[in-house]
Amino acid sequence: MRRNAAPAIHYRVEVANLHAHLFTVTLTVAQPATRQTLRLPVWIPGSYLVREFAKNLQNLQCRQGKRKLEVQQLDKASWQMDCKPGEPLVMQYEVYANDPSVRTAWLDADRGFFNGTSLCLQVDGQCDTPHQLELVAGEYMDDWSVATSLEPVKVNKRGFGRYCADNYDTLVDCPVEMGPFWSGNFTACGIPHRFVVAGAPPSFDGAQLLADSQAICEAEIRFWHAGCTKKNSKTGSKDEGQSPIPYRSYVFMLNAVAEGYGGLEHRNSTALICKRADLPRLPRTTLAPTVHKQPEGYTQLLGLISHEYFHTWNVKRLRPAELARYDYTQENYTELLWFFEGFTSYYDDLLLRRAGRIDNATYLKLLTKTVNGVAQTPGRKVQTVAQASFDAWIKYYRQDENTPNATVSYYTKGSLVGLCLDLTLRAEGKTTLDAVMRRLWIRCDGGPMAEADLLAVLEQLSGRSYARELAQWVHSTQDLPITTLLEKHGIQVHQEPNQVAQQLGLRVKEGNGLFIQHVLRGGVAEQAGFASGDEWIAIQALGNSNSAWRLQSLDDFTLYAGNAKKVTATVARDKRLLALSLSLPKASQAVRLAVRDAALVDAWLAPQPDPQ
């Protein structure tokens, strides 16, 4: 698209009312169809749930010149009007923006944020024509700036003005952050990166965040590109030169809040949310200085940054064939989220280790949590990880009290499938999952792929078929051979008692009482009759009728149950008090991973030389 070319589609976004959380959008279609249809997406790529963004659209009006047009609503998110040929169509509407997540839109006196899928109507028949977005600063926004990965056309020093996109897909894949945010910059492998943070406290150490993010980005760019040669997937011949980095710049947009965590990937940016307390902190020089130590949650934030940045390649470009072109009007199904989300989850922490942001012990602690989490999910025996991918629209994003019993996470189990593939390939000595990922990128030309492509590359690089492994690990509910593979790579797998909640078969919420969230299939709590929503008030050990004890946490349970084999649990359900007979089980086991052979572990986890 020529930067100064007249746009076929133009959106003007301005603030209608900060305190009412309202954006005003004016859409101009230069050459509308005689009968023009416009639609608002019902979902946003990367978050697989129909979210009904149209519920926030209001006061839609339409005109051509001075003539007001009648607008016919076709369905929940589509509108149609009869237009005069050759005359621009102008639509104006408001969007209510009060969702603090990374998926929709937000506006208040301190911050503005939106994804194009929440604000920008799609013009039928013109999705592949040039689009332009104009951002207008409103009253009381003198200290606000703009951050977005859209290409600027004419903007002021704060970033307000006009931006362009080649098509609708590009437009809505570039979220916009506005406000008096902190901003910093770094370069990774020659690529400029910007990091903006909204809501940062005075203790925030921006330099630390930039340094750590730079190390992560450089590790991931080298993972995908350093030393790569582009190979013709049909002839097998090699072309000289590296596979080009697929973007010219990148923007991180982080919103720091009291409570929250998550991210959403885009082609050359990402929107993130984290707890304000998890941001890196400046060394304390007043108020009794202590040994400087970053918050424990900061490692989780770095893992989130690593995860979303890895998606720049794995899901935004290398992506399921079923999502080669997004259909914004309905669910887009695929069985491959175990690969795109799961393998990204495998590499997010692994690349933190290779970037030198964590050590082997920390990595194994994170891996231990994942291994135990999957093993303690009864739904792994009910649903395959491929089925979990397909059902994301109705299960993963709509979790309820039965979720752990009926489904398995394509993030966590998918990451363990990636682990098992990598360790199996390494044990056989011919290739690694790293090489498989790079070869997939080249084979699919950084575009749509199918499971058949993964199988083909695995066989090409390893010398044998991996169809049996994928059938067992992805398309069945068999447990993965994690322990055996880890031990072959220098990891000691220790067995130790499970946490009390897991031994009882419960997941609970503590604080101002002890509340049951999930009752796990086959556990003693289910056998006793516990139900989601119960408040567990007290226990009484059998044979000690004079001793009933009030519970505030599960630590209280271990204190008051002692060595009893049975207790009577008092729970409140629907304002009734129930006495449940609870038989205590023998201690179940969890795993703890530790280094046994440092050389073997480093061959897998330590920073790798550039791939050749």
Side-chain angles (χ1 to χ4, degrees):
M1 174 182 173
R2 291 180 289 114
R3 287 171 56 89
N4 296 318
I9 311 294
H10 180 274
Y11 303 87
R12 177 184 171 91
V13 176
E14 53 193 318
V15 172
N17 190 323
L18 287 170
H19 300 300
H21 316 289
L22 290 175
F23 286 109
T24 294
V25 182
T26 304
L27 165 61
T28 302
V29 183
Q31 296 289 333
T34 302
R35 178 163 290 178
Q36 183 64 64
T37 301
L38 299 103
R39 310 178 194 276
L40 196 66
V42 303
W43 71 289
I44 182 170
S47 184
Y48 306 98
L49 177 67
V50 171
R51 296 186 182 274
E52 314 291 20
F53 300 130
K55 68 183 179 183
N56 294 317
L57 189 149
Q58 62 189 47
N59 287 336
L60 189 151
Q61 301 176 33
C62 183
R63 59 182 170 83
Q64 281 190 295
K66 297 181 179 180
R67 182 170 66 96
K68 185 176 180 180
L69 301 184
E70 182 180 348
V71 179
Q72 179 186 5
Q73 186 163 2
L74 303 178
D75 56 36
K76 62 185 179 182
S78 301
W79 296 263
Q80 190 176 84
M81 60 288 304
D82 292 329
C83 300
K84 182 179 179 181
E87 188 173 347
L89 169 68
V90 179
M91 297 191 71
Q92 188 173 83
Y93 52 93
E94 294 173 336
V95 175
Y96 179 70
N98 197 31
D99 182 347
S101 79
V102 296
R103 297 177 290 263
T104 54
W106 172 267
L107 181 66
D108 69 1
D110 298 316
R111 174 179 178 260
F113 171 83
F114 67 86
N115 290 284
T117 45
S118 290
L119 264 67
C120 299
L121 286 166
Q122 187 179 34
V123 182
D124 267 19
Q126 301 195 45
C127 295
D128 293 325
T129 59
H131 286 54
Q132 191 173 94
L133 177 69
E134 182 181 1
L135 301 173
V136 181
E139 194 176 6
Y140 310 116
M141 296 170 60
D142 293 342
D143 60 344
W144 284 35
S145 298
V146 171
T148 181
S149 59
L150 282 167
E151 182 179 354
V153 175
K154 185 178 181 181
V155 301
N156 63 23
K157 63 181 181 180
R158 292 190 291 134
F160 289 97
R162 290 182 288 122
Y163 294 84
C164 65
D166 290 338
N167 49 52
Y168 183 81
D169 284 342
T170 301
L171 176 79
V172 300
D173 203 20
C174 298
V176 174
E177 176 79 28
M178 298 185 292
F181 47 69
W182 176 91
S183 180
N185 299 278
F186 63 87
T187 299
C189 299
I191 303 295
H193 291 64
R194 184 184 187 188
F195 211 125
V196 303
V197 181
S203 62
F204 169 55
D205 188 346
Q208 183 68 59
L209 181 64
L210 292 179
D212 290 335
S213 299
Q214 180 183 37
I216 292 166
C217 293
E218 288 180 342
E220 297 197 4
I221 292 171
R222 288 194 299 268
F223 174 91
W224 286 101
H225 297 288
C228 287
T229 55
K230 191 165 185 178
K231 185 171 181 178
N232 187 300
S233 60
K234 294 183 179 179
T235 65
S237 63
K238 290 185 178 180
D239 301 319
E240 294 300 322
Q242 293 183 351
S243 175
I245 299 171
Y247 53 94
R248 293 179 294 179
S249 61
Y250 195 92
V251 182
F252 291 96
M253 290 167 273
L254 173 61
N255 183 28
V257 296
E259 294 290 338
Y261 176 81
L264 189 62
E265 68 277 359
H266 300 277
R267 287 178 68 86
N268 58 341
S269 64
T270 186
L272 309 167
I273 187 168
C274 78
K275 289 175 62 174
R276 196 171 289 119
D278 289 342
L279 290 172
R281 301 179 192 178
L282 294 165
R284 187 190 297 175
T285 57
T286 60
L287 295 175
T290 60
V291 176
H292 185 53
K293 184 178 180 182
Q294 296 297 358
E296 185 174 339
Y298 183 48
T299 298
Q300 184 184 37
L301 173 58
L302 293 180
L304 178 65
I305 291 168
S306 177
H307 183 98
E308 302 304 337
Y309 196 68
F310 197 83
H311 273 319
T312 306
W313 294 267
N314 195 42
V315 92
K316 293 309 299 182
R317 290 172 174 83
L318 191 67
R319 62 192 184 278
E322 298 90 342
L323 274 63
R325 187 68 186 263
Y326 299 124
D327 181 351
Y328 297 100
T329 68
Q330 62 183 355
E331 296 89 342
N332 292 212
Y333 295 102
T334 177
E335 287 192 345
L336 284 174
L337 295 182
W338 60 269
F339 177 88
F340 290 100
E341 290 293 356
F343 281 30
T344 299
S345 296
Y346 171 59
Y347 277 109
D348 55 21
D349 289 335
L350 180 56
L351 287 169
L352 281 189
R353 170 67 191 97
R354 293 181 183 171
R357 302 304 99 177
I358 59 176
D359 57 18
N360 287 349
T362 302
Y363 175 79
L364 291 178
K365 182 178 179 181
L366 295 169
L367 181 58
T368 295
K369 182 178 179 181
T370 302
V371 171
N372 285 328
V374 172
Q376 294 165 2
T377 302
R380 79 188 193 282
K381 293 294 190 180
V382 176
Q383 186 185 52
T384 71
V385 73
Q387 292 168 338
S389 301
F390 195 87
D391 283 343
W393 300 88
I394 58 172
K395 292 193 175 181
Y396 184 82
Y397 283 95
R398 289 179 175 168
Q399 297 192 17
D400 59 26
E401 72 283 352
N402 192 48
T403 292
N405 298 320
T407 188
V408 67
S409 169
Y410 50 79
Y411 283 90
T412 53
K413 186 174 180 182
S415 73
L416 297 182
V417 172
L419 169 75
C420 289
L421 268 179
D422 196 13
L423 297 187
T424 302
L425 292 167
R426 290 174 182 273
E428 293 177 355
K430 293 184 178 180
T431 190
T432 66
L433 188 60
D434 301 2
V436 168
M437 299 297 288
R438 287 189 287 270
R439 184 63 62 84
L440 269 172
W441 174 263
I442 294 169
R443 173 187 174 89
C444 299
D445 199 23
M449 64 160 274
E451 187 174 316
D453 293 305
L454 173 60
L455 283 168
V457 169
L458 284 168
E459 184 167 2
Q460 182 183 24
L461 296 185
S462 72
R464 72 170 180 87
S465 171
Y466 269 75
R468 180 176 61 85
E469 282 82 0
L470 288 196
Q472 292 178 351
W473 300 348
V474 174
H475 298 285
S476 85
T477 58
Q478 296 182 38
D479 284 334
L480 302 173
I482 296 168
T483 299
T484 301
L485 290 169
L486 286 171
E487 289 175 341
K488 287 181 178 179
H489 286 81
I491 303 298
Q492 181 70 49
V493 181
H494 298 279
Q495 298 289 330
E496 55 186 30
N498 253 319
Q499 298 294 316
V500 173
Q502 187 60 35
Q503 293 191 46
L504 296 176
L506 290 173
R507 294 181 183 174
V508 302
K509 181 180 180 181
E510 299 176 333
N512 296 320
L514 179 60
F515 294 89
I516 309 303
Q517 291 186 303
H518 303 282
V519 181
L520 302 184
R521 185 73 68 244
V524 295
E526 182 185 58
Q527 295 168 13
F530 280 81
S532 175
D534 286 351
E535 181 184 4
W536 193 352
I537 296 174
I539 64 166
Q540 182 175 5
L542 296 187
N544 192 352
S545 59
N546 295 321
S547 299
W549 299 93
R550 185 76 164 88
L551 300 183
Q552 290 291 331
S553 70
L554 281 182
D555 286 341
D556 291 341
F557 176 83
T558 59
L559 175 64
Y560 298 131
N563 292 319
K565 295 183 179 180
K566 287 186 178 183
V567 299
T568 298
T570 303
V571 303
R573 181 185 306 164
D574 193 26
K575 297 190 180 297
R576 294 180 299 160
L577 294 181
L578 305 177
L580 308 179
S581 179
L582 179 65
S583 297
L584 304 190
K586 294 181 179 179
S588 59
Q589 300 294 306
V591 303
R592 179 173 57 83
L593 307 179
V595 174
R596 175 179 53 79
D597 186 321
L600 285 176
V601 173
D602 283 344
W604 166 36
L605 297 182
Q608 308 288 301
D610 281 348
Q612 299 298 319

